[in-house]
Amino acid sequence: MIDQRVVMVFESADDLMSATRAVRESGWKIEEAYTPYAVHGLDEAMGRAPSRLPYITFLCGLVGTLLALWLQHWTSSVSWPLNVGGKPFNSLPAFVPVIFEIMVLFAGLGSVATLLIRSRLYPGKKVQLPSVDITNHRFALVLAPQDASFSHDEASQLCRRHNAVALHFLGDIENKK
Amino acid sequence: MESHSSHSSVAGTGPRVVHWSVISRGTLLTLVSVSGLVLILGAAFSPDRVLANLLLVAFYLISLGLFGIVFVAIQYASGAGWSVGFRRIPEAMSGVLWIGGLAILPVLASLRVLYEWSHSDVVAHDHLLQLKSGWLDPFMFIVRSVIYLFVWIGMAYFIIRRSRRQDVDGSSVHTERNVLLGALFLVVFGVTFSVASFDWLMSLEPHWFSTVFGVYNFSGMFTSGLATLILILLGLKRLGWLKREFTEEHLHDLGKLLFGFSCFWAYIWFCQYMLIWYANIPEETAYYELRTQGIWGALMFLCLFLNWVVPFLGLLPRAAKRSAFAMARVSCVVLVGHWLDLYLMIMPSIREGGALPGLIEIAGATLLFGLFVWGFGRLLGRANLVPARDPYLPESLQHHV
């Protein structure tokens, strides 16, 4: 049993990908992968479940649609009815463009807000990186604290096999500034 | 690479015409001749209705044929690699262009049946039509129609010839030339297709006009073309072809295109409708006054439902765009929807009372299906199924969304 997080650092995206697959096959838990740019297919290699963000986006869009519909109905035919070109006060075709815009606005802002909150990226958040190199030229794979099937020897063997340039053991990234 | 060579050898020695699992050559011939016979018999009773159906069939076929070559031209002009593996399918779709051109000949030969502006006695008492007679002139109308078809078929021929020559010599010069030719074609197409839709469809109601009509028809043409392409690819895959060239990843991207263009169609539909509704000018509202009431009105709602609501909700989830089951069904709905869209553009001008599709319309639709499968299969069997020496082929095979 290891109570620490294991950090493996790589020089190339290919090494990171092959190491990620090997780690998953060994049954160890991956906590996170850090890369300087988006690496294609990494989320699949890590075995991540599909994001649930689209459901939130759909819900926000639905709320925006209904709110815009209600707003226009209330302002133009209940609170202050105005005769525009002899059209009925409650005219759906005239409402559609605004409904569309509010729907997009709510869906867009709602998705971004949900992403920031869920990832805990609030203002003033301290940077927590396993190594500053990953903002530039290196790739890091962080394993969660493991059960009895994990050993230090196996970890360093795996590192050698996939050309890792560094292997750290961290107590807890959250606490390490 | 083994897979490419096996494909080329199979395409070279195998059957020249792709036989669909459901349709043999005999059935196809029977289908086309029976529906043709029904239309000829129908012409004895209501020639205007039969000619209107022929116009629908011809415009649908020309749209699908044009989609094929427009799609190929867009891929070349934008330097896209993802679609190269299955490029022979849209190329072969343009093989129905000349059939559509033949199908429109009876309409051109009897302009007076469908087009009010071709009656000189009517024009003599109609100030508006007199003003438009510089463009809406029977002789010029036929000349223009022939020019459109010649330009489209000619440019499609040159683009496809380049693509096929590359199979022989593997030179990247063909790709470079087709980038230029494709870009040129897109410009020519944008102008000619707009004007052709003004001529063939919008002038059915010569007092009415809509400047967005060409864009509206482009959106319908591209959406129905995508649906056809998706159905053919899924069909070929089921028969065991294009295993590496057409994967879930390619299906996903085609699904995104179908979803996007269906929304684009709805957007343009609404643009046309709302501006006319808002401005409320009699010469513009006449078109929608007819089409939003009674049977036509019900069909108009059905058209919006089939062309937008179904693809929008049906293809919204990521998993649906990667599923052959969902994509095939939504594509079928879109194809029926586009038929209805054309029906609503053409029919109300000759049958004001409102009419549900009948036997003649069914015969027209089966003729459309038969002619498409025949024209498409004919061209598909003439080249390798995969452009095996295109420099972008490896990128296409590795495509990952």
Side-chain angles (χ1 to χ4, degrees):
Chain A
M1 180 80 184
I2 294 181
D3 295 331
Q4 297 161 312
R5 285 175 170 76
V6 181
V7 182
M8 300 172 181
V9 183
F10 303 91
E11 292 270 70
S12 83
D14 289 343
D15 288 336
L16 173 75
M17 286 287 275
S18 59
T20 306
R21 289 200 194 93
V23 163
R24 271 238 296 155
E25 272 161 29
S26 312
W28 300 328
K29 285 190 220 81
I30 297 172
E31 188 165 278
E32 188 59 282
Y34 294 84
T35 60
Y37 53 83
V39 175
H40 227 58
L42 185 60
D43 49 344
E44 269 172 39
M46 288 168 71
R48 280 275 165 97
S51 165
R52 285 164 299 179
L53 195 57
Y55 296 103
I56 302 290
T57 310
F58 184 77
L59 207 67
C60 292
L62 204 62
V63 170
T65 305
L66 296 175
L67 196 70
L69 187 62
W70 171 80
L71 173 80
Q72 291 179 93
H73 164 74
W74 185 75
T75 50
S76 54
S77 62
V78 177
S79 170
W80 199 272
L82 273 182
N83 186 332
V84 180
K87 301 271 192 294
F89 294 129
N90 204 22
S91 289
L92 187 62
F95 297 167
V96 168
V98 176
I99 291 176
F100 174 75
E101 299 296 344
I102 302 278
M103 182 266 286
V104 171
L105 183 76
F106 269 60
L109 290 184
S111 308
V112 174
T114 310
L115 176 74
L116 294 182
I117 293 168
R118 187 68 184 79
S119 317
R120 294 181 198 149
L121 288 170
Y122 42 80
K125 163 107 171 176
K126 291 278 190 306
V127 178
Q128 296 165 350
L129 296 174
S131 146
V132 281
D133 290 342
I134 60 105
T135 62
N136 185 8
H137 62 288
R138 284 194 167 156
F139 303 78
L141 189 62
V142 181
L143 307 190
Q146 305 290 334
D147 56 19
S149 73
F150 188 85
S151 77
H152 283 73
D153 286 349
E154 278 183 82
S156 41
Q157 261 177 28
L158 196 130
C159 280
R160 242 171 284 130
R161 234 179 303 134
H162 298 281
N163 312 322
V165 287
L167 174 65
H168 313 297
F169 296 91
L170 296 180
D172 190 349
I173 298 180
E174 293 284 333
N175 298 330
K176 195 179 168 203
K177 288 278 152 68
Chain B
M1 289 312 269
E2 302 81 9
S3 152
H4 314 153
S5 47
S6 75
H7 267 133
S8 23
S9 65
V10 170
T13 56
R16 285 270 160 208
V17 178
V18 168
H19 290 283
W20 299 71
S21 54
V22 281
I23 280 224
S24 73
R25 214 170 200 169
T27 336
L28 202 60
L29 202 66
T30 321
L31 193 72
V32 170
S33 31
V34 167
S35 30
L37 204 65
V38 171
L39 287 179
I40 290 169
L41 287 176
F45 300 101
S46 47
D48 54 345
R49 190 173 161 191
V50 169
L51 275 175
N53 270 288
L54 262 182
L55 178 64
L56 197 164
V57 170
F59 195 83
Y60 208 136
L61 278 177
I62 291 172
S63 296
L64 294 180
L66 275 176
F67 166 82
I69 201 67
V70 167
F71 185 83
V72 170
I74 290 175
Q75 308 304 309
Y76 272 120
S78 61
W82 69 280
S83 59
V84 162
F86 59 82
R87 193 180 62 220
R88 285 287 137 82
I89 314 305
E91 276 178 15
M93 279 173 76
S94 68
V96 301
L97 263 178
W98 68 272
I99 303 178
L102 285 187
I104 210 167
L105 283 184
V107 178
L108 297 181
S110 39
L111 279 183
R112 292 176 61 84
V113 180
L114 291 183
Y115 297 98
E116 189 189 350
W117 52 262
S118 64
H119 298 245
S120 48
D121 51 325
V122 173
V123 176
H125 298 100
D126 196 317
H127 180 61
L128 205 58
L129 292 188
Q130 280 167 25
L131 294 176
K132 293 187 180 185
S133 62
W135 181 267
L136 291 179
D137 169 73
F139 177 69
M140 288 306 295
F141 183 89
I142 293 170
V143 169
R144 282 198 304 271
S145 301
V146 173
I147 291 177
Y148 304 144
L149 288 163
F150 260 93
V151 169
W152 295 335
I153 294 172
M155 293 193 79
Y157 172 78
F158 285 116
I159 292 176
I160 292 173
R161 193 174 64 165
R162 283 266 169 209
S163 161
R164 287 188 190 161
R165 278 189 183 169
Q166 197 166 47
D167 283 1
V168 181
D169 58 19
S171 160
S172 64
V173 171
H174 299 303
T175 302
E176 289 159 19
R177 282 290 158 78
N178 264 355
V179 169
L180 291 176
L181 209 53
L184 181 69
F185 173 73
L186 289 175
V187 176
V188 172
F189 159 80
V191 177
T192 48
F193 185 71
S194 275
V195 188
S197 69
F198 290 173
D199 271 344
W200 293 334
L201 300 182
M202 199 163 83
S203 82
L204 286 167
E205 290 190 37
H207 298 102
W208 180 74
F209 61 92
S210 160
T211 43
V212 85
F213 198 75
V215 183
Y216 178 66
N217 273 286
F218 165 72
S219 66
M221 159 268 196
F222 210 85
T223 315
S224 57
L226 277 170
T228 311
L229 176 61
I230 290 164
L231 281 175
I232 295 171
L233 286 171
L234 288 174
L236 285 176
K237 182 126 177 161
R238 210 169 174 175
L239 295 177
W241 303 86
L242 298 176
K243 280 211 167 83
R244 287 179 59 207
E245 291 79 6
F246 177 63
T247 63
E248 211 175 43
E249 310 291 332
H250 300 98
L251 183 66
H252 189 175
D253 269 352
L254 285 171
K256 285 187 266 185
L257 279 175
L258 184 63
F259 177 87
F261 269 91
S262 151
C263 289
F264 178 63
W265 176 88
Y267 172 70
I268 298 297
W269 185 94
F270 188 71
C271 282
Q272 182 171 283
Y273 175 79
M274 193 191 72
L275 291 187
I276 289 173
W277 172 82
Y278 227 124
N280 209 8
I281 300 169
E283 65 187 33
E284 290 178 356
T285 47
Y287 182 83
Y288 280 112
E289 199 202 356
L290 184 59
R291 285 165 176 78
T292 47
Q293 286 170 29
I295 293 178
W296 296 133
L299 290 177
M300 187 69 108
F301 270 105
L302 181 64
C303 178
L304 279 170
F305 182 78
L306 297 180
N307 279 310
W308 181 62
V309 178
V310 170
F312 180 78
L313 293 178
L315 295 183
L316 199 51
R318 183 180 191 267
K321 291 187 276 280
R322 298 174 77 87
S323 134
F325 181 87
M327 286 284 282
R329 269 144 194 86
V330 170
S331 297
C332 287
V333 170
V334 166
L335 287 183
V336 174
H338 184 59
W339 184 89
L340 187 60
D341 190 21
L342 286 174
Y343 184 77
L344 282 168
M345 276 188 248
I346 295 170
M347 289 301 163
S349 64
I350 60 156
R351 304 171 77 193
E352 291 197 358
L356 291 170
L359 184 62
I360 292 180
E361 280 71 28
I362 293 172
T366 48
L367 182 72
L368 170 66
F369 176 77
L371 289 180
F372 178 84
V373 174
W374 177 57
F376 167 79
R378 223 174 141 263
L379 203 57
L380 187 68
R382 290 209 181 148
N384 292 342
L385 194 57
V386 177
R389 298 176 75 178
D390 190 291
Y392 285 114
L393 187 64
E395 182 182 329
S396 175
L397 295 179
Q398 284 169 27
H399 183 58
H400 189 273
V401 176

